[in-house]
Amino acid sequence: MSEQKKGRIIILSGPSGVGKGTVLKELLARNPGIHLSISATTRSPRTGEIDGVNYYFITREAFEEHIARGEMLEYASYNGNYYGTPALKVQEKLDDGIDVLLEIEVQGALKVMEARKDVVSIFLLPPSREELEHRLTGRGTEDAETIRKRLEASIYELSLADRYQYRVVNDEIPRAVAEIEQILGCGAAV
Ligand code: 5GP
């Protein structure tokens, strides 16, 4: 009986405003073999976000039930809300030999890195602190207090970048995506 090759967990983290969403979209468009894990969260949907597509938007009670039943691969509290990765779907994909991408914040990422060996961890860095502030303010989807909180969180997150196996600067999206493909050994970079 031949052993099926397992997939890898690919962790992509980076401060809010670094452009994770855009890099991720491009990476997945170019590499349809990578599965994006859909997280659960207790935060409210932003305009245009769809339940089951961007996140599973659930209540605190439901989230805590999932935690109690051991159904989260990892979870963290961020800006007063829970965010977590449902374990079952991830494991199914890995068992099928499919790489699974987790776009998660640093606390959860560190937990996964400590608990498992089958992980490739990548931290997306802004070209500069000024550029990050500029991108975060320019997005226009959040109020001033939320932006201030996110900037504060980004200082903490950036301080943990060296705990990741790889750091990629998001100066230009196609270049950053190509660098990630090279790290993963996939896409046009191979
Ligand atoms: P946002 O509210 O902007 O969608 O996400 C806020 C932060 O939560 C981002 O840094 C994002 O990477 C992180 N995040 C999203 N899903 C998860 C998850 O399942 N687990 C953890 N630990 N962080 C997550």
Side-chain angles (χ1 to χ4, degrees), residues 54-125:
N54 304 91
Y55 283 104
Y56 297 108
F57 295 101
I58 63 176
T59 62
R60 284 194 87 79
E61 292 69 34
F63 201 107
E64 284 168 358
E65 273 171 34
H66 287 300
I67 297 172
R69 289 201 294 259
E71 291 167 354
M72 291 295 182
L73 174 65
E74 61 73 35
Y75 67 93
S77 195
Y78 181 93
N79 271 352
N81 284 302
Y82 282 129
Y83 292 81
T85 307
L88 187 62
K89 187 80 179 175
V90 172
Q91 198 54 53
E92 276 174 11
K93 294 287 175 189
L94 295 176
D95 291 345
D96 285 345
I98 295 168
D99 288 341
V100 180
L101 195 139
L102 311 184
E103 193 260 271
I104 61 177
E105 56 66 65
V106 290
Q107 305 166 60
L110 292 179
K111 280 185 236 159
V112 179
M113 287 187 236
E114 276 162 24
R116 306 185 61 128
K117 296 239 176 300
D118 54 345
V119 174
V120 182
S121 57
I122 302 169
F123 193 95
L124 205 58
L125 288 165

Side-chain angles (χ1 to χ4, degrees), residues 134-147:
H134 177 72
R135 289 184 194 175
L136 204 50
T137 320
R139 190 155 71 178
T141 48
E142 277 102 17
D143 57 47
E145 175 61 8
T146 307
I147 290 172

